Amino acid sequence: MTYVYADSTAVLGPLAQNAEPHSYDLCAEHASRLTAPRGWEVVRLTPDFEPAAPSHDDLLALADAVREAGRPRVPEPEPVALDQAPRRGHLRVLRGEG
């Protein structure tokens, strides 16, 4: 949904491809119940709000997620201490020569 303030129009169409100011993605329920302020017009570019069927990209993303979840977890190696200097959070105290 996008508001066109100059024309007092709310345009309701497919989901946005890019983030833009004054554009909002609505679920099917809210898109079907949308009303505009008094004196405004609602233009519906897609009259029926039906969920899109899974695409090839959706199926590949699902297969990748299942494959990743099935991989055994390998523990990360312990970091090797460069010296035994005391630490404060993410900072390390360096001893000087003076």
Side-chain angles (χ1 to χ4, degrees):
M1 175 189 64
T2 303
Y3 287 113
V4 182
Y5 292 98
D7 297 332
S8 299
T9 304
V11 180
L12 196 59
L15 293 177
Q17 297 296 319
N18 300 319
E20 295 185 26
H22 307 293
S23 292
Y24 308 93
D25 289 336
L26 301 177
C27 68
E29 179 183 348
H30 285 101
S32 66
R33 296 187 308 160
L34 176 77
T35 59
R38 184 174 297 168
W40 282 51
E41 181 182 0
V42 176
V43 175
R44 296 179 188 273
L45 299 177
T46 309
D48 296 325
F49 297 100
E50 297 178 13
S55 70
H56 183 69
D57 291 338
D58 293 336
L59 295 175
L60 287 177
L62 180 60
D64 289 341
V66 169
R67 201 173 299 121
E68 183 67 29
R71 288 189 181 138
R73 301 265 182 218
V74 178
E76 298 213 7
E78 291 292 323
V80 177
L82 298 175
D83 61 358
Q84 297 303 320
R87 294 180 60 105
R88 290 188 138 220
H90 66 283
L91 302 175
R92 192 168 27 138
V93 177
L94 301 177
R95 294 192 175 110
E97 297 206 19

